[in-house]
């Protein structure tokens, strides 16, 4: 009796060592063989494997189960249990199977001495029944796995050969073991459901699609943590900016779980809004720091922001305590960029210093979160070198495609909590993207010069039907720059999927549509632009601001 109690007590250390359903079920089967039974099988409800509640109703039919674990002594290796991972087939003997009775009534089933008829009632198929006869199986025991009033599955045990048959004492011992193991299985179910909820929330807050990025090819990947407590804080974003510019943002909230995921979503939304108002990444991070300090949960986050300009293929980068980006040249050479490391968001230590990078065509910029370089056993510098080596040896098509985070990526063996990897390939102005930039003269000839330039360029692009509207738009933009911005600077005309015209100036104030009375002679320029264009906007730059307007290009 004492040895049986000691064996039952040992179950607490050998079953449920992880919060993985499959592993816990296998540990239950292995724990009972050969000390308690010659062979064991564990089946779990399909609803449990899907993270659902299980089954609380008695006598409501037989729930669908899936074989999760099998173990047997060497002499019984030829038995034919349901294959692990497959739905248990009960269709041929659904009403007569003893496991059906166990699941339907939520009661244990004991057959001390099996007859020929009992063989048919235990085995799901004729072939399995014949295998049991050949192996000399003579005793059967099935117990339901019930935890917190919820049916999770069942465990079957058999004895064969010279092993004594099951007794009532064995039945009581199996029920105690099943009760304890069911709690471990339910804990794994609840844990898996929590992880799935956090991962689902995390993925829903990440970009669903990458926007059109002129002169830039972007690929991104996100890998959630195996541990639910490690999920929730990493994010990335790709934001289209005026005149073909693109903002790349990668961040990491210093926390885990649902609170970190919620904070991540809020910071990403704020960052997107700020990027549409200011294309200087250092100022965006400064304002994002203020927004982070206003959050009620006192979160801290790292962030790296890069703005790509297809006009000259340059990046402007700023970092808020984030790991350094990695630049991969067309020849495969890799270098970490020395971006000034500002303080993390939410700490209140600003401003941030930008780094301007003139990139080489066909070079790749890698932004990532610390999940790729975090380790409890190795130094960060060593992890960075491992990342550099892995990227240097990675095929170019792998960097430009999806599925970037795989087991051979540094940290991809499950050591990291979660990770984001974003790769941007600067490919210059492709055939379907055209960008023209002109310096406008000072004084009253700026508007006429701008009209002439855009008209000539539209004729070259065979878009003469857009000339009238574009002339009006550029006249209003240049006029506003002369009147309120200290004179126009550059005129940009971008043609890709749409036509965008942009005028820069040094004025600090962003224009807004004004209410105009009938007797007013002016003030209707932005109203006209708003009616004639698909959309328009303005944002700050390092030297002032740009005002832009976008039109649809008629399809042939």
């Amino acid at each position: 009796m004492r040895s049986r109690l000691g064996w039952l007590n040992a179950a607490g250390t050998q079953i449920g060592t992880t919060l993985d359903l499959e592993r816990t079920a296998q540990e239950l089967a292995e724990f009972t063989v050969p000390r308690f039974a010659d062979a064991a099988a564990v089946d779990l409800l399909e609803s449990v494997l899907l993270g659902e509640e299980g089954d609380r109703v008695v006598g409501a039919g037989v729930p669908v189960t899936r074989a999760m674990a099998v173990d047997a002594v060497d002499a019984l290796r030829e038995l034919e249990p349901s294959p692990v991972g497959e739905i248990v087939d009960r269709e041929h003997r659904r009403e007569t199977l003893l496991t059906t009775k166990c699941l339907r009534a939520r009661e244990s089933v004991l057959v001390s001495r099996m007859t020929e008829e009992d063989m048919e009632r235990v085995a799901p198929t004729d072939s399995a029944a014949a295998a049991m006869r050949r192996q000399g199986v003579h005793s059967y025991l099935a117990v339901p796995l019930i935890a917190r009033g919820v049916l999770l599955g069942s465990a079957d045990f058999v004895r064969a050969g010279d092993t004594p048959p099951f007794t009532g004492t064995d039945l009581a011992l199996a029920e105690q073991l099943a009760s304890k193991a069911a709690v471990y299985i339910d804990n794994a179910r609840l844990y898996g459901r929590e992880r799935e909820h956090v991962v689902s929330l995390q993925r829903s807050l990440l970009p669903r699609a990458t926007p059109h990025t002129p002169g830039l090819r972007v690929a991104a990947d996100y890998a959630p943590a195996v541990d639910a407590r490690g999920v929730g804080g990493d994010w990335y974003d790709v934001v289209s900016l005026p005149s073909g510019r693109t903002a790349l943002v990668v961040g990491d909230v210093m926390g885990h779980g649902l609170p970190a995921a919620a904070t991540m979503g809020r910071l990403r939304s704020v960052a997107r809004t700020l990027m549409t108002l200011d294309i200087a990444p250092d100022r965006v991070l400064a304002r994002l720091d203020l927004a982070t300090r206003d959050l009620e949960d006192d979160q801290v986050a790292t962030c790296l922001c890069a703005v790509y300009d297809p006009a000259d293929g340059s990046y402007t980068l700023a970092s808020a305590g984030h790991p350094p980006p990695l630049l991969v040249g067309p020849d495969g050479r890799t270098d970490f960029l020395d971006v000034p490391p500002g303080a993390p968001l939410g700490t209140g230590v600003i401003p941030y210093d930008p780094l301007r990078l003139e990139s080489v065509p066909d070079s790749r910029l890698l932004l990532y979160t610390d999940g790729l370089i975090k380790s409890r056993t190795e130094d960060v510098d060593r992890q960075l070198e491992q990342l550099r080596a892995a990227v240097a040896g990675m095929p170019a098509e792998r960097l430009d495609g999806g599925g970037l985070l795989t087991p051979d990526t540094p940290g991809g063996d499950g050591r990291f909590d979660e990770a984001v990897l974003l790769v941007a390939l600067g490919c210059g102005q492709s055939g379907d993207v055209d960008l023209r930039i002109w310096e406008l003269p000072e004084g009253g000839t700026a508007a006429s010069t701008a009209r002439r330039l855009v008209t000539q360029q539209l004729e070259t692009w065979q878009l003469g039907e857009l000339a009238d509207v574009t002339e009006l738009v550029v006249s209003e933009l240049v006029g506003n720059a002369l009147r309120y911005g200290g004179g126009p600077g550059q005129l940009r005309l971008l043609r890709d999927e749409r036509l965008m015209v942009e005028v820069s100036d040094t004025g600090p104030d962003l224009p807004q549509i004004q209410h105009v009375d009938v007797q007013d002679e002016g003030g209707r320029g932005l109203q006209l632009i708003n009616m004639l264009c698909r959309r328009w906007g303005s944002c700050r730059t390092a030297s002032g601001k740009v005002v832009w307007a976008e039109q649809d290009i008629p399809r042939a």
Side-chain angles (χ1 to χ4, degrees):
M1 181 65 179
R2 181 174 299 176
S3 62
R4 292 197 173 201
L5 291 177
W7 174 79
L8 187 63
N9 185 61
T13 60
Q14 298 183 38
I15 303 176
T17 59
T18 67
L19 288 172
D20 181 79
L21 271 174
E22 297 181 12
R23 182 58 193 160
T24 303
Q26 186 64 39
E27 287 172 346
L28 171 59
E30 293 175 353
F31 182 75
T32 57
V33 178
R35 179 72 180 272
F36 179 78
D38 294 325
V42 179
D43 301 338
L44 297 181
L45 271 62
E46 185 71 1
S47 58
V48 171
L49 298 176
L50 295 175
E52 300 174 2
E53 185 63 24
D55 198 344
R56 292 183 179 272
V57 183
V58 178
V62 182
V64 178
T65 61
R66 187 179 294 271
M68 294 302 297
V70 173
D71 196 28
V73 296
D74 292 338
L76 298 183
R77 293 299 178 184
E78 295 184 7
L79 290 180
E80 299 181 9
S82 298
V84 173
E86 296 187 6
I87 297 292
V88 178
D89 184 10
R90 297 191 180 92
E91 291 301 321
H92 301 296
R93 298 173 176 150
R94 181 181 180 90
E95 299 300 326
T96 60
L97 281 176
L98 295 180
T99 51
T100 298
K101 177 181 178 181
C102 175
L103 292 170
R104 178 175 289 169
R106 277 62 165 175
E107 294 178 354
S108 301
V109 176
L110 170 62
V111 182
S112 295
R113 293 289 183 179
M114 297 178 65
T115 64
E116 287 294 325
E117 182 181 358
D118 291 329
M119 293 286 185
E120 302 295 329
R121 299 173 63 195
V122 170
T125 63
D126 294 336
S127 177
M132 293 178 68
R133 295 188 192 98
R134 291 194 304 269
Q135 296 294 301
V137 174
H138 58 73
S139 191
Y140 174 78
L141 176 61
V143 293
L145 299 173
I146 301 174
R148 304 177 178 97
V150 177
L151 175 67
L152 305 175
S154 64
D156 300 358
F157 308 99
V158 297
R159 288 180 178 177
D162 298 333
T163 306
F166 289 115
T167 65
T169 302
D170 294 322
L171 173 61
L173 189 65
E175 289 178 337
Q176 293 182 52
L177 176 64
S179 177
K180 180 178 293 189
V183 173
Y184 300 143
I185 292 174
D186 197 42
N187 289 341
R189 176 187 69 87
L190 295 174
Y191 174 84
R193 185 171 66 177
E194 177 189 355
R195 179 182 182 276
E196 186 63 29
H197 288 172
V198 176
V199 172
S200 297
L201 174 62
Q202 174 83 346
R203 290 192 182 277
S204 68
L205 296 174
L206 294 175
R208 297 186 179 182
T210 301
H212 180 63
T213 54
L216 198 66
R217 289 168 53 188
V218 180
D221 200 6
Y222 165 74
V226 175
D227 189 339
R229 293 168 295 182
V231 179
D234 291 19
W235 91 90
Y236 70 91
D237 208 349
V238 182
V239 186
S240 295
L241 298 177
S243 295
R245 301 178 184 91
T246 301
L248 309 173
V249 184
V250 170
D252 183 6
V253 177
M254 295 181 184
H256 303 292
L258 287 173
T263 299
M264 177 273 291
R266 296 162 74 180
L267 290 180
R268 177 180 172 238
S269 298
V270 173
R272 286 185 69 90
T273 302
L274 292 173
M275 291 303 307
T276 60
L277 298 175
D278 197 331
I279 60 176
D282 50 314
R283 291 203 297 261
V284 169
L285 291 182
R287 290 175 173 82
L288 195 57
D289 173 82
L290 297 175
T292 307
R293 281 184 275 167
D294 287 339
L295 298 179
E296 298 176 356
D297 34 7
D298 295 330
Q299 293 278 12
V300 176
T302 65
C303 186
L304 181 66
C305 181
V307 174
Y308 176 78
D309 191 343
D312 52 10
S314 67
Y315 290 97
T316 303
L317 305 99
S319 173
H322 204 76
L326 182 61
L327 184 66
V328 183
D331 57 353
R333 178 181 175 180
T334 57
D335 293 293
F336 286 104
L337 299 181
D338 190 18
V339 182
L345 303 175
T347 59
V349 182
I350 53 178
Y352 299 95
D353 296 322
L355 171 69
R356 181 176 172 81
L357 171 68
E358 299 288 343
S359 67
V360 178
D362 297 327
S363 62
R364 294 169 176 84
L365 181 68
L366 274 68
L367 312 182
Y368 54 93
T369 55
D370 64 357
L372 285 181
I373 58 173
K374 183 185 295 183
S375 174
R376 296 181 180 179
T377 58
E378 295 185 5
D379 184 76
V380 172
D381 292 337
R382 178 176 174 80
Q383 290 293 97
L384 287 172
E385 288 305 316
Q386 290 182 5
L387 176 62
R388 183 207 299 268
V391 170
M394 192 177 295
E397 57 272 13
R398 167 86 177 279
L399 285 174
D400 299 336
L404 300 171
L405 295 175
T406 60
D408 62 334
T409 307
D413 56 0
R415 290 174 296 170
F416 58 79
D417 50 359
E418 65 176 341
V420 162
L421 178 59
L422 187 149
V423 180
L425 169 63
C427 49
Q429 297 185 20
S430 57
D432 59 343
V433 178
D434 238 328
L435 178 63
R436 297 293 181 268
I437 303 175
W438 300 280
E439 295 289 339
L440 293 177
E442 299 179 358
T445 62
S448 61
T449 301
R451 288 193 298 269
R452 175 176 54 82
L453 291 172
V454 298
T455 301
Q456 293 175 351
Q457 190 60 53
L458 291 177
E459 291 295 337
T460 302
W461 288 338
Q462 298 182 353
L463 296 175
E465 65 270 30
L466 298 179
D468 292 340
V469 173
T470 307
E471 282 188 21
L472 176 60
V473 169
V474 75
S475 294
E476 294 296 338
L477 296 183
V478 173
N480 284 339
L482 288 168
R483 190 175 298 112
Y484 307 110
Q490 282 187 344
L491 168 65
R492 285 193 178 199
L493 192 65
L494 173 70
R495 175 185 66 91
D496 55 355
E497 294 179 342
R498 298 183 180 91
L499 181 69
M500 181 181 291
V501 58
E502 172 190 292
V503 174
S504 65
D505 61 56
T506 58
D509 299 326
L510 300 181
Q512 296 181 355
I513 295 180
Q514 303 294 329
H515 292 285
V516 182
D517 294 332
V518 177
Q519 64 272 18
D520 292 339
E521 296 183 359
R524 296 180 177 85
L526 290 180
Q527 291 183 357
L528 289 173
I529 293 176
N530 189 58
M531 290 187 293
L532 295 173
C533 296
R534 182 179 183 272
R535 59 176 185 157
W536 72 277
S538 60
C539 61
R540 302 187 189 280
T541 64
S543 58
K545 68 175 181 293
V546 296
V547 186
W548 54 271
E550 182 181 272
Q551 303 175 61
D552 289 319
I553 296 178
R555 296 187 180 275

